[in-house]
């Protein structure tokens, strides 16, 4: 684990969404104050969806929408209006309900059937946005992540090729158990962020959370373990059910 990892144990899922929403507002406000903009990467999944819904309902006036730039840490190979699209989920739960300028939204162009080409195009979009020199990685202000019951995060699944990527920002990752490719940020991008938050809710996540935070299984088997921002903050928001296999707090 990164020396800077912090685990925030909340009681209910609702407490978790509330705490995560407050952190998003805090990071956004600080980023705009320090650098004049807030860059965020969203994730898919049901836990982030609840966070987006809460932000849309309660925090609409607390975020600096005009200075906020929105990307996705992973995406499925489906059109943007497909029910499985992470972009569509974020649009329905949040983006369509807040005054975020359309030009500040950078979806993964997943309608192209060639997954490698999609990944390359998104990689290029990010390089241009951050004006990166060759070999450099972007420093997102905030990357929101979920974790699957198998320990995957973004679309970095256990024992998949993307875990080895050292230079590209975005890759197409073949996931044998899903028999599909997913587009995903690579570990160097996650680990270059200024702040990474995991949102983990539910008892089905308890065994993986234990392995990731306290177990000695290799990171290859639990990719969330490989997320250790080298110069950034790492915060785990976990509810009581997800934390049920963690050591009790002293
Ligand atoms: C996706 C993801 C994925 C997700 C986790 C947790 O596109 O599915 O980005 O990494 O965040 O699987 O999802 P839940 O919150 O639904 O359990």
């Amino acid at each position: 684990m990164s020396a800077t990892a912090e685990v925030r144990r909340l009681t209910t899922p609702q407490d978790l969404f509330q705490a995560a929403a407050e952190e998003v507002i805090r990071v956004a406000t600080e980023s705009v104050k320090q650098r004049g903009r807030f860059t965020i990467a969203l994730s898919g999944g049901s836990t982030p969806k609840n966070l987006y819904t809460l932000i849309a309902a309660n925090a609409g006036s607390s975020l600096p929408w005009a200075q906020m730039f929105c990307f996705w840490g992973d995406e499925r190979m489906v059109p943007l209006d497909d029910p499985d699209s992470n972009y569509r989920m974020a649009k329905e739960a949040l983006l369509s309900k807040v005054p975020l300028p359309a030009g500040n939204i950078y979806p993964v162009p997943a309608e192209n059937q060639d997954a490698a080409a999609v990944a390359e195009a998104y990689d290029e979009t990010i390089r241009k946005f951050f004006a990166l020199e060759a070999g450099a990685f972007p420093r997102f202000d905030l990357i929101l992540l979920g974790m699957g019951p198998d320990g995957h995060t973004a679309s970095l699944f256990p024992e998949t090729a993307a875990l080895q990527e050292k230079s590209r920002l975005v890759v197409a990752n073949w996931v044998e158990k899903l028999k599909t490719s997913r587009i995903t940020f690579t570990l160097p991008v996650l680990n270059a962020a200024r702040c990474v938050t995991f949102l983990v809710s539910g008892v089905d996540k308890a065994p993986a959370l234990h392995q990731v935070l306290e177990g000695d299984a290799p990171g290859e088997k639990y990719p969330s373990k490989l997320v250790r921002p080298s110069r950034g903050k790492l915060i785990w928001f976990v509810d009581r059910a997800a934390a049920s296999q963690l050591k009790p707090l002293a």
Side-chain angles (χ1 to χ4, degrees):
M1 293 294 304
S2 147
T4 56
E6 184 190 331
V7 181
R8 293 201 199 158
R9 298 193 193 195
L10 291 310
T11 307
T12 66
Q14 208 50 37
D15 296 336
L16 181 155
F17 306 137
Q18 185 61 42
E22 284 166 18
E23 187 63 25
V24 173
I25 294 167
R26 199 194 60 71
V27 176
T29 309
E30 193 183 294
S31 302
V32 170
K33 203 163 120 197
Q34 291 185 1
R35 290 175 296 281
R37 71 180 187 192
F38 172 49
T39 53
I40 184 169
L42 304 179
S43 83
S46 54
T47 321
K49 183 177 180 181
N50 286 308
L51 169 67
Y52 306 156
T53 305
L54 182 78
I55 292 177
N58 297 338
S61 57
S62 313
L63 281 166
W65 300 109
Q67 288 92 34
M68 177 162 162
F69 297 85
C70 209
F71 294 78
W72 274 261
D74 78 320
E75 187 55 277
R76 291 95 189 264
M77 282 299 299
V78 294
L80 296 179
D81 59 355
D82 189 281
D84 277 345
S85 160
N86 285 342
Y87 165 77
R88 176 176 161 165
M89 184 277 272
K91 185 176 169 198
E92 288 182 354
L94 177 64
L95 306 178
S96 61
K97 302 190 162 79
V98 295
L100 179 64
N104 293 13
I105 303 175
Y106 293 83
V108 179
E111 60 278 356
N112 180 336
Q113 284 312 294
D114 179 344
V118 171
E120 212 172 296
Y122 205 50
D123 188 300
E124 192 52 33
T125 299
I126 296 172
R127 284 185 192 281
K128 280 206 181 112
F129 178 88
F130 284 92
L132 295 181
E133 286 172 16
F137 291 98
R139 296 203 74 197
F140 279 93
D141 293 310
L142 181 60
I143 298 183
L144 295 178
L145 295 174
M147 182 183 76
D150 60 355
H152 85 263
T153 190
S155 283
L156 298 167
F157 285 79
E159 299 175 315
T160 53
L163 300 179
Q164 309 306 329
E165 182 61 41
K166 303 276 185 290
S167 54
R168 286 176 291 174
L169 313 182
V170 182
V171 294
N173 195 22
W174 176 257
V175 186
E176 183 57 31
K177 72 176 171 189
L178 303 176
K179 298 266 182 270
T180 186
S181 284
R182 293 269 193 98
I183 307 300
T184 186
F185 276 9
T186 58
L187 286 165
V189 173
L190 303 183
N191 288 334
R194 294 179 194 274
C195 183
V196 176
T197 62
F198 276 92
L199 272 51
V200 187
S201 165
V203 71
D204 60 320
K205 309 284 175 68
L209 190 67
H210 164 72
Q211 277 303 333
V212 171
L213 296 179
E214 299 175 344
D216 48 22
E220 270 279 297
K221 288 201 183 298
Y222 292 90
S224 301
K225 220 174 182 168
L226 301 171
V227 179
R228 281 172 297 211
S230 48
R231 291 182 295 145
K233 256 171 98 170
L234 172 61
I235 311 176
W236 287 80
F237 291 92
V238 304
D239 66 9
R240 191 161 53 191
S244 56
Q245 292 190 18
L246 297 183
K247 286 186 199 122
L249 292 173

